Amino acid sequence: MNAKISRQQAWELFKLYNNDVFHLQHALTVEGVMRWFAKENGFGDDEEFWGIAGLLHDIDFEQFPDQHCVKAAEILRASEADEELIHAVCSHAYGLAAKVEAKPEHFMEKILHAVDELTGLIWAAAIIRPSKSVMDMEVKSVKKKFKTPAFAAGCSRQVIEKGAEALGWELDTLFEKTILAMRSCETAVNAALNDLRT
């Protein structure tokens, strides 16, 4: 797998279209989560590609929410990104964005599809904890929030459930793995955001 753009190029490109701290944090978090899943599942050689796909998955959402993943494809093609990366980025929104026809096919795409909404839910649960961290987050806490529709209502439970099903995992397994993945990158994400503020 070759994204045809470097991680630094991807990050600079993302920042051209995104200023909101929430979107920057989400992108960095999903990047870190994808890197963890790549290494944990024997795809260490493709970690960079997985990470870049995670980093760029919402590149168009802040400015073009009604054209999500349509604009992303245009932006990435203009930057000469590989079509494999473009498909991965666009397929993550299958079932969320009406114009997205690309289904998650590769294992990596299924992971991205499953964890995108879930990382948002887990982070929403983390920031109301005294620690404001995922480091002490437990599966039972995520399950409780997951079963409360009004909590982080924008995070699609249906997409998370279908994502787990496509991977052949129980929801608890997906929750546990994603919590571990978010723990692995929380410090780096916070450091990167602090660098942007200075």
Side-chain angles (χ1 to χ4, degrees):
M1 290 178 160
N2 184 357
K4 291 190 178 175
I5 59 174
S6 69
R7 193 274 176 191
Q8 186 59 35
Q9 288 171 322
W11 181 227
E12 295 303 324
L13 185 63
F14 187 84
K15 290 188 291 181
L16 279 178
Y17 292 90
N18 293 270
N19 297 303
D20 186 275
V21 173
F22 172 81
H23 291 137
L24 295 167
Q25 182 177 44
H26 179 63
L28 291 167
T29 298
V30 177
E31 176 193 14
V33 166
M34 291 300 292
R35 287 179 179 275
W36 184 90
F37 272 104
K39 289 180 285 190
E40 286 293 311
N41 290 279
F43 293 92
D45 290 345
D46 293 323
E47 178 190 338
E48 190 80 352
F49 183 94
W50 285 49
I52 289 172
L55 184 66
L56 294 174
H57 78 284
D58 276 347
I59 188 169
D60 60 353
F61 191 74
E62 185 173 315
Q63 292 190 21
F64 310 102
D66 295 334
Q67 300 178 71
H68 186 32
C69 287
V70 174
K71 282 291 184 181
E74 294 175 8
I75 292 166
L76 294 175
R77 285 196 179 100
S79 301
E80 299 183 350
D82 189 82
E83 286 296 321
E84 191 174 20
L85 177 66
I86 295 169
H87 187 277
V89 165
C90 293
S91 69
H92 93 272
Y94 185 76
L96 283 170
K99 295 179 181 178
V100 173
E101 297 179 357
K103 292 183 179 180
E105 297 170 356
H106 187 279
F107 180 64
M108 179 270 297
E109 294 174 341
K110 292 177 181 179
I111 293 283
L112 181 56
H113 179 68
V115 303
D116 174 32
E117 296 288 293
L118 182 55
T119 56
L121 178 72
I122 293 173
W123 179 242
I127 59 175
I128 61 173
R129 297 170 72 84
S131 66
K132 298 188 183 302
S133 169
V134 296
M135 295 302 183
D136 57 355
M137 179 68 68
E138 297 179 359
V139 170
K140 64 181 181 181
S141 299
V142 177
K143 286 175 70 174
K144 183 177 179 181
K145 298 300 185 187
F146 183 84
K147 293 176 180 178
T148 307
F151 181 82
C155 298
S156 172
R157 274 61 169 175
Q158 183 179 27
V159 166
I160 294 169
E161 288 173 339
K162 287 188 174 181
E165 183 180 339
L167 289 164
W169 295 350
E170 297 292 331
L171 267 176
D172 281 13
T173 301
L174 179 61
F175 292 166
E176 181 180 16
K177 289 177 181 291
T178 306
I179 290 169
L180 292 173
M182 290 178 71
R183 286 178 185 171
S184 77
C185 64
E186 184 178 285
T187 300
V189 170
N190 289 339
L193 292 174
N194 286 334
D195 286 345
L196 290 175
R197 296 186 183 106
T198 57

